[in-house]
Amino acid sequence: MKSVRMILLTAGVVMSAALLGQAGCEKKGEKPAKQSGSASGGAKHDDHDHAPGDGHDHGDEHDHGATTQLGEQAAGGFTMKASRDGEVKPGEDAAIDVWVSGGTAKITAVRFWIGTQDAKGSVKAKAELEKDNWHTHVEIPKPLPDGSKLWVEVETDKGEKAVAGFDLKN
């Protein structure tokens, strides 16, 4: 009887630890911001200013690698600024952050993929709004097609989609 109790107790501890360890890329103690429209660049958090893509770390225990700024594009009335963390390695994933500003319609979804604009052979990943940026991990196709880019699609509550492509700078 003691061994059955010990097994059940151990299983409960392991399951509790696993549930506590399931945190995305959000920083400890922080919850993603609620979406009220577009996420814009530059925000004030933690008693000091942040610029979009500043790579500023507040103890995020995930190490995605060095941040590479991918530039800024305009599409569908929105301005999108993108960055990626780490290297672009076919068959792996890349941590992507995009800041979206402008536009008059409410954003209902932001999706990222790496590859060709038609997304053939790629997987579109729906991003989540963090503080002032959209974030997710994107699968990198293997093999990586020639001329591949990071593609960002912003969908509005009017059903309109704006797409911009960013050089991966690898």
Side-chain angles (χ1 to χ4, degrees), residues 88-127:
V88 175
K89 295 180 182 176
E92 295 188 14
D93 69 32
I96 305 293
D97 290 294
V98 173
W99 290 261
V100 181
S101 60
T104 56
K106 180 180 177 186
I107 297 172
T108 57
V110 177
R111 296 176 188 87
F112 307 152
W113 69 96
I114 291 177
T116 57
Q117 186 172 2
D118 65 6
K120 185 176 180 181
S122 299
V123 176
K124 288 186 178 183
K126 187 174 179 183

Short mmCIF file of all heavy atoms in Angstrom, two decimals, residues 88-127:
data_model
loop_
_atom_site.label_atom_id
_atom_site.label_comp_id
_atom_site.label_asym_id
_atom_site.label_seq_id
_atom_site.Cartn_x
_atom_site.Cartn_y
_atom_site.Cartn_z
N VAL A 88 18.98 31.25 -38.86
CA VAL A 88 17.97 30.63 -39.71
C VAL A 88 18.53 29.26 -40.11
O VAL A 88 19.47 29.17 -40.90
CB VAL A 88 17.68 31.48 -40.97
CG1 VAL A 88 16.72 30.77 -41.90
CG2 VAL A 88 17.14 32.83 -40.56
N LYS A 89 17.97 28.20 -39.51
CA LYS A 89 18.43 26.84 -39.77
C LYS A 89 17.26 26.01 -40.30
O LYS A 89 16.29 25.76 -39.57
CB LYS A 89 18.96 26.20 -38.49
CG LYS A 89 20.21 26.87 -37.94
CD LYS A 89 20.67 26.16 -36.67
CE LYS A 89 21.88 26.85 -36.07
NZ LYS A 89 22.27 26.23 -34.80
N PRO A 90 17.32 25.59 -41.57
CA PRO A 90 16.24 24.77 -42.14
C PRO A 90 15.93 23.56 -41.25
O PRO A 90 16.83 22.92 -40.71
CB PRO A 90 16.79 24.33 -43.49
CG PRO A 90 17.75 25.43 -43.85
CD PRO A 90 18.39 25.83 -42.55
N GLY A 91 14.63 23.31 -41.07
CA GLY A 91 14.18 22.20 -40.25
C GLY A 91 14.01 22.56 -38.78
O GLY A 91 13.53 21.75 -38.00
N GLU A 92 14.39 23.77 -38.40
CA GLU A 92 14.22 24.21 -37.01
C GLU A 92 13.18 25.33 -36.98
O GLU A 92 12.41 25.48 -37.91
CB GLU A 92 15.57 24.65 -36.44
CG GLU A 92 16.55 23.48 -36.36
CD GLU A 92 17.83 23.81 -35.62
OE1 GLU A 92 17.89 24.85 -34.94
OE2 GLU A 92 18.77 23.01 -35.73
N ASP A 93 13.16 26.10 -35.91
CA ASP A 93 12.23 27.23 -35.86
C ASP A 93 12.98 28.50 -35.51
O ASP A 93 14.14 28.45 -35.12
CB ASP A 93 11.07 26.98 -34.89
CG ASP A 93 11.46 26.96 -33.43
OD1 ASP A 93 12.41 27.66 -33.02
OD2 ASP A 93 10.81 26.25 -32.65
N ALA A 94 12.29 29.61 -35.72
CA ALA A 94 12.87 30.92 -35.42
C ALA A 94 11.88 31.71 -34.59
O ALA A 94 10.68 31.72 -34.87
CB ALA A 94 13.16 31.68 -36.72
N ALA A 95 12.39 32.39 -33.55
CA ALA A 95 11.56 33.28 -32.73
C ALA A 95 11.45 34.60 -33.48
O ALA A 95 12.44 35.21 -33.84
CB ALA A 95 12.20 33.49 -31.37
N ILE A 96 10.22 35.02 -33.75
CA ILE A 96 9.95 36.21 -34.54
C ILE A 96 9.13 37.20 -33.72
O ILE A 96 8.19 36.82 -33.02
CB ILE A 96 9.15 35.86 -35.82
CG1 ILE A 96 9.86 34.80 -36.65
CG2 ILE A 96 8.84 37.11 -36.64
CD1 ILE A 96 11.17 35.23 -37.28
N ASP A 97 9.49 38.49 -33.83
CA ASP A 97 8.74 39.57 -33.22
C ASP A 97 8.42 40.60 -34.29
O ASP A 97 9.29 40.94 -35.10
CB ASP A 97 9.56 40.24 -32.11
CG ASP A 97 9.72 39.34 -30.91
OD1 ASP A 97 8.71 39.05 -30.27
OD2 ASP A 97 10.87 38.93 -30.63
N VAL A 98 7.18 41.08 -34.30
CA VAL A 98 6.76 42.11 -35.26
C VAL A 98 5.94 43.16 -34.52
O VAL A 98 5.07 42.83 -33.71
CB VAL A 98 5.93 41.50 -36.42
CG1 VAL A 98 5.36 42.58 -37.31
CG2 VAL A 98 6.77 40.54 -37.24
N TRP A 99 6.25 44.41 -34.80
CA TRP A 99 5.51 45.54 -34.26
C TRP A 99 4.66 46.09 -35.39
O TRP A 99 5.17 46.35 -36.48
CB TRP A 99 6.47 46.62 -33.75
CG TRP A 99 7.19 46.17 -32.51
CD1 TRP A 99 6.88 46.50 -31.23
CD2 TRP A 99 8.33 45.31 -32.44
NE1 TRP A 99 7.76 45.88 -30.37
CE2 TRP A 99 8.65 45.14 -31.09
CE3 TRP A 99 9.10 44.63 -33.39
CZ2 TRP A 99 9.71 44.35 -30.65
CZ3 TRP A 99 10.16 43.84 -32.97
CH2 TRP A 99 10.45 43.71 -31.60
N VAL A 100 3.36 46.24 -35.16
CA VAL A 100 2.43 46.72 -36.18
C VAL A 100 1.84 48.04 -35.69
O VAL A 100 1.32 48.12 -34.58
CB VAL A 100 1.31 45.70 -36.44
CG1 VAL A 100 0.36 46.21 -37.53
CG2 VAL A 100 1.87 44.34 -36.83
N SER A 101 1.92 49.06 -36.53
CA SER A 101 1.32 50.35 -36.19
C SER A 101 0.55 50.87 -37.39
O SER A 101 0.67 50.35 -38.50
CB SER A 101 2.42 51.34 -35.76
OG SER A 101 3.35 51.53 -36.80
N GLY A 102 -0.24 51.91 -37.15
CA GLY A 102 -1.04 52.49 -38.21
C GLY A 102 -2.30 51.70 -38.45
O GLY A 102 -2.70 50.86 -37.65
N GLY A 103 -2.91 51.96 -39.58
CA GLY A 103 -4.15 51.26 -39.91
C GLY A 103 -5.32 51.82 -39.12
O GLY A 103 -5.15 52.36 -38.04
N THR A 104 -6.50 51.68 -39.68
CA THR A 104 -7.69 52.19 -39.01
C THR A 104 -8.60 51.07 -38.53
O THR A 104 -9.47 51.30 -37.69
CB THR A 104 -8.50 53.10 -39.96
OG1 THR A 104 -8.81 52.38 -41.15
CG2 THR A 104 -7.70 54.36 -40.30
N ALA A 105 -8.42 49.86 -39.04
CA ALA A 105 -9.26 48.73 -38.66
C ALA A 105 -8.62 47.96 -37.50
O ALA A 105 -7.41 48.00 -37.30
CB ALA A 105 -9.46 47.80 -39.85
N LYS A 106 -9.45 47.25 -36.75
CA LYS A 106 -8.97 46.43 -35.65
C LYS A 106 -8.28 45.18 -36.20
O LYS A 106 -8.79 44.52 -37.10
CB LYS A 106 -10.15 46.03 -34.76
CG LYS A 106 -9.75 45.17 -33.59
CD LYS A 106 -10.94 44.80 -32.73
CE LYS A 106 -10.49 43.88 -31.62
NZ LYS A 106 -11.63 43.38 -30.86
N ILE A 107 -7.13 44.85 -35.65
CA ILE A 107 -6.40 43.65 -36.06
C ILE A 107 -7.03 42.45 -35.39
O ILE A 107 -7.21 42.44 -34.17
CB ILE A 107 -4.91 43.75 -35.68
CG1 ILE A 107 -4.25 44.91 -36.42
CG2 ILE A 107 -4.19 42.44 -35.96
CD1 ILE A 107 -2.84 45.22 -35.96
N THR A 108 -7.38 41.43 -36.19
CA THR A 108 -7.95 40.21 -35.62
C THR A 108 -6.96 39.06 -35.61
O THR A 108 -7.12 38.13 -34.83
CB THR A 108 -9.22 39.78 -36.38
OG1 THR A 108 -8.90 39.62 -37.76
CG2 THR A 108 -10.32 40.82 -36.22
N ALA A 109 -5.94 39.10 -36.47
CA ALA A 109 -4.93 38.03 -36.49
C ALA A 109 -3.67 38.53 -37.19
O ALA A 109 -3.74 39.35 -38.11
CB ALA A 109 -5.46 36.80 -37.22
N VAL A 110 -2.53 38.03 -36.71
CA VAL A 110 -1.25 38.27 -37.37
C VAL A 110 -0.59 36.91 -37.53
O VAL A 110 -0.52 36.14 -36.57
CB VAL A 110 -0.35 39.22 -36.54
CG1 VAL A 110 1.01 39.39 -37.21
CG2 VAL A 110 -1.02 40.58 -36.36
N ARG A 111 -0.18 36.62 -38.75
CA ARG A 111 0.44 35.32 -39.05
C ARG A 111 1.81 35.53 -39.67
O ARG A 111 2.02 36.48 -40.42
CB ARG A 111 -0.45 34.53 -40.01
CG ARG A 111 -1.79 34.17 -39.43
CD ARG A 111 -2.69 33.46 -40.45
NE ARG A 111 -4.03 33.30 -39.93
CZ ARG A 111 -4.99 34.21 -40.03
NH1 ARG A 111 -4.76 35.35 -40.66
NH2 ARG A 111 -6.18 33.99 -39.52
N PHE A 112 2.74 34.62 -39.35
CA PHE A 112 4.09 34.65 -39.90
C PHE A 112 4.37 33.32 -40.58
O PHE A 112 3.89 32.28 -40.16
CB PHE A 112 5.15 34.79 -38.79
CG PHE A 112 4.97 35.92 -37.82
CD1 PHE A 112 5.47 35.80 -36.54
CD2 PHE A 112 4.36 37.10 -38.16
CE1 PHE A 112 5.36 36.83 -35.62
CE2 PHE A 112 4.24 38.15 -37.25
CZ PHE A 112 4.74 38.00 -35.98
N TRP A 113 5.19 33.36 -41.62
CA TRP A 113 5.76 32.14 -42.19
C TRP A 113 7.07 32.49 -42.86
O TRP A 113 7.33 33.64 -43.20
CB TRP A 113 4.80 31.43 -43.14
CG TRP A 113 4.50 32.12 -44.44
CD1 TRP A 113 5.10 31.90 -45.64
CD2 TRP A 113 3.49 33.11 -44.69
NE1 TRP A 113 4.55 32.69 -46.62
CE2 TRP A 113 3.55 33.45 -46.06
CE3 TRP A 113 2.54 33.75 -43.89
CZ2 TRP A 113 2.71 34.39 -46.63
CZ3 TRP A 113 1.71 34.68 -44.46
CH2 TRP A 113 1.80 34.99 -45.81
N ILE A 114 7.91 31.48 -43.02
CA ILE A 114 9.19 31.65 -43.71
C ILE A 114 9.15 30.79 -44.96
O ILE A 114 8.74 29.63 -44.90
CB ILE A 114 10.37 31.26 -42.79
CG1 ILE A 114 10.50 32.30 -41.67
CG2 ILE A 114 11.68 31.16 -43.59
CD1 ILE A 114 11.58 32.01 -40.65
N GLY A 115 9.56 31.37 -46.07
CA GLY A 115 9.56 30.67 -47.35
C GLY A 115 9.17 31.61 -48.45
O GLY A 115 9.59 32.77 -48.48
N THR A 116 8.33 31.12 -49.35
CA THR A 116 7.87 31.93 -50.48
C THR A 116 6.55 32.62 -50.11
O THR A 116 5.85 32.19 -49.19
CB THR A 116 7.67 31.05 -51.73
OG1 THR A 116 6.75 30.00 -51.42
CG2 THR A 116 9.00 30.44 -52.17
N GLN A 117 6.20 33.67 -50.85
CA GLN A 117 4.99 34.43 -50.53
C GLN A 117 3.73 33.58 -50.57
O GLN A 117 2.82 33.78 -49.77
CB GLN A 117 4.84 35.64 -51.45
CG GLN A 117 3.68 36.53 -51.06
CD GLN A 117 3.61 37.83 -51.83
OE1 GLN A 117 4.42 38.09 -52.71
NE2 GLN A 117 2.65 38.67 -51.49
N ASP A 118 3.68 32.59 -51.48
CA ASP A 118 2.49 31.74 -51.57
C ASP A 118 2.42 30.71 -50.44
O ASP A 118 1.45 29.95 -50.35
CB ASP A 118 2.40 31.06 -52.93
CG ASP A 118 3.54 30.09 -53.21
OD1 ASP A 118 4.37 29.82 -52.31
OD2 ASP A 118 3.60 29.58 -54.35
N ALA A 119 3.44 30.66 -49.59
CA ALA A 119 3.51 29.78 -48.42
C ALA A 119 3.61 28.30 -48.78
O ALA A 119 3.48 27.45 -47.91
CB ALA A 119 2.36 30.03 -47.46
N LYS A 120 3.85 27.98 -50.04
CA LYS A 120 3.97 26.58 -50.46
C LYS A 120 5.15 25.93 -49.73
O LYS A 120 6.26 26.44 -49.78
CB LYS A 120 4.16 26.48 -51.97
CG LYS A 120 4.17 25.07 -52.49
CD LYS A 120 4.26 25.02 -54.00
CE LYS A 120 4.26 23.58 -54.44
NZ LYS A 120 4.37 23.47 -55.88
N GLY A 121 4.88 24.85 -49.02
CA GLY A 121 5.91 24.14 -48.27
C GLY A 121 6.22 24.77 -46.92
O GLY A 121 7.11 24.32 -46.21
N SER A 122 5.47 25.80 -46.53
CA SER A 122 5.68 26.48 -45.25
C SER A 122 4.49 26.25 -44.33
O SER A 122 3.42 25.85 -44.77
CB SER A 122 5.85 27.99 -45.47
OG SER A 122 6.97 28.26 -46.26
N VAL A 123 4.68 26.55 -43.07
CA VAL A 123 3.61 26.48 -42.10
C VAL A 123 3.37 27.89 -41.57
O VAL A 123 4.29 28.53 -41.06
CB VAL A 123 3.96 25.54 -40.92
CG1 VAL A 123 2.87 25.55 -39.87
CG2 VAL A 123 4.23 24.13 -41.42
N LYS A 124 2.13 28.38 -41.72
CA LYS A 124 1.79 29.70 -41.18
C LYS A 124 1.57 29.55 -39.68
O LYS A 124 0.88 28.63 -39.23
CB LYS A 124 0.53 30.26 -41.82
CG LYS A 124 0.73 30.69 -43.27
CD LYS A 124 -0.52 31.37 -43.80
CE LYS A 124 -0.31 31.85 -45.22
NZ LYS A 124 -1.50 32.58 -45.73
N ALA A 125 2.18 30.46 -38.92
CA ALA A 125 2.03 30.44 -37.46
C ALA A 125 1.28 31.69 -37.03
O ALA A 125 1.65 32.80 -37.41
CB ALA A 125 3.41 30.39 -36.80
N LYS A 126 0.23 31.51 -36.24
CA LYS A 126 -0.52 32.64 -35.73
C LYS A 126 0.23 33.22 -34.53
O LYS A 126 0.55 32.50 -33.59
CB LYS A 126 -1.94 32.23 -35.33
CG LYS A 126 -2.81 33.39 -34.96
CD LYS A 126 -4.24 32.94 -34.72
CE LYS A 126 -5.10 34.12 -34.32
NZ LYS A 126 -6.48 33.68 -34.03
N ALA A 127 0.51 34.51 -34.58
CA ALA A 127 1.26 35.18 -33.52
C ALA A 127 0.31 35.63 -32.41
O ALA A 127 -0.88 35.78 -32.62
CB ALA A 127 2.00 36.37 -34.09
#
